[in-house]
């Protein structure tokens, strides 16, 4: 009985040792996978931060361009108003000239 208990104990110890080795290998494989996942997550975070920074820069550029476009609109409206005023002045001048010619022709 002692002999069979001793054999059983040795077999059990050997089984536990082999199971422990396999478990260690599995844990190392799992740790390696976790490290890879963490590395990918870090890369993704960096890419997201870079994209956010680029979007902020693009947004600033767009705002500057909108301000420039608004300034151009104001200038164009002012130029249109001046042109309209000049056209009215020219039209009034032509009317005055026409009246002067008419009066001159009536004097003859």
């Amino acid at each position: 009985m002692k002999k069979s208990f001793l054999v059983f104990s040795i077999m059990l110890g050997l089984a536990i040792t082999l199971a422990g080795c396999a478990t260690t290998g599995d844990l190392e494989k799992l740790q390696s996978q976790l490290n890879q996942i963490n590395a990918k997550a870090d890369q993704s975070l960096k890419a997201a931060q870079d994209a956010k920074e680029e979007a902020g820069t693009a947004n600033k550029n767009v705002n500057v361009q909108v301000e420039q476009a608004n300034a151009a609109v104001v200038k164009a409206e002012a130029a249109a108003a001046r042109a309209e005023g000049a056209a009215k002045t020219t039209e009034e001048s032509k009317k005055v000239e026409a009246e002067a010619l008419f009066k001159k022709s009536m004097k003859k």
Side-chain angles (χ1 to χ4, degrees):
M1 177 121 160
K2 287 183 183 181
K3 188 176 182 182
S4 64
F5 180 70
L6 181 62
V7 171
F8 179 73
S9 296
I10 291 173
M11 293 300 273
L12 183 61
L14 183 61
I16 290 173
T17 303
L18 291 177
C21 290
T23 303
T24 303
D26 290 340
L27 288 176
E28 289 174 355
K29 184 178 177 183
L30 180 62
Q31 184 63 40
S32 173
Q33 289 175 345
L34 286 175
N35 290 340
Q36 289 175 350
I37 290 170
N38 285 335
K40 287 180 183 179
D42 289 341
Q43 289 174 346
S44 297
L45 178 62
K46 176 73 171 128
Q49 288 172 340
D50 291 345
K52 183 178 179 182
E53 194 173 301
E54 288 176 16
T57 302
N59 191 25
K60 288 178 186 176
N61 291 340
V62 166
N63 289 338
V64 168
Q65 290 175 352
V66 166
E67 289 175 9
Q68 291 172 346
N70 287 338
V73 167
V74 169
K75 286 181 181 179
E77 287 174 347
R82 286 192 308 270
E84 188 176 323
K88 284 183 182 180
T89 302
T90 303
E91 187 178 317
E92 289 174 5
S93 295
K94 285 184 180 181
K95 283 183 182 179
V96 169
E97 278 182 34
E99 285 181 27
L101 283 175
F102 180 72
K103 285 182 183 178
K104 186 178 180 182
S105 69
M106 291 303 276
K107 285 184 182 178
K108 289 184 182 180

